[in-house]
Amino acid sequence: ARCTKCKEAGSRFFQAGAIHRALRRYSHVAGCLSYMEDWKDAAVKEEAAALRKVCNLNAAACWLKLNSFKDAESACNLVLRDEPTNIKALFRKAKALEGCSEWRQAEQILRKVLELDKENKEAARTLLKVRQMAKQEEDEKKAIFSKMAKGIAKDAKSMVGPDAEPAAAEAKSSKKP
């Protein structure tokens, strides 16, 4: 009952825009309910696990609002450990990865979200954005590599020098009898 009230207070803080205060409440509840292995009553244990899941998901939403993407990803992983197909956790993890510029991983997770929920318009929009960013990053890497390769070729020519070809021709002609 106390954990439920604390979670509800977190929800009120979140709606009011007090993200740090909401995060503290959600993290407190999730922490209190993190060790349930020895609980005897299965119904209570199940209810507590559901509350812990909601608090971890809400904490992930708070971390995303605070642009703390690694923390958001960690909160999502806590949910995904128990429920690997949780759509909210997968989507929020993808948003966290997007925030970390880990485009390919975000793309994989968003594809999984869309496999589970084909009607998820937000995931589809985010997937398009992530694909564009991945392509842009790939194009930038290619451009950088191309400049590096041109620079290496230019340096190689300058090391050999302009006299290299005549010297090579002289060496060939001196070998002839």
Side-chain angles (χ1 to χ4, degrees), residues 17-66:
I19 305 303
H20 285 6
R21 294 179 80 183
L23 179 59
R24 268 198 307 273
R25 297 307 188 283
Y26 296 139
S27 297
H28 174 73
V29 174
C32 287
L33 300 176
S34 62
Y35 302 103
M36 300 182 304
E37 290 79 26
D38 296 333
W39 291 17
K40 304 289 186 238
D41 189 340
V44 172
K45 192 174 180 178
E46 188 175 318
E47 186 179 329
L51 183 58
R52 179 181 64 196
K53 176 180 72 174
V54 168
C55 286
N56 281 322
L57 286 169
N58 290 352
C62 290
W63 287 121
L64 286 171
K65 286 253 186 212
L66 297 170

Side-chain angles (χ1 to χ4, degrees), residues 102-118:
E102 295 181 26
W103 313 117
R104 295 295 175 202
Q105 285 180 294
E107 182 180 351
Q108 287 176 327
I109 291 172
L110 287 165
R111 276 194 262 124
K112 187 173 183 178
V113 169
L114 289 170
E115 282 175 24
L116 297 168
D117 180 9
K118 291 170 181 36

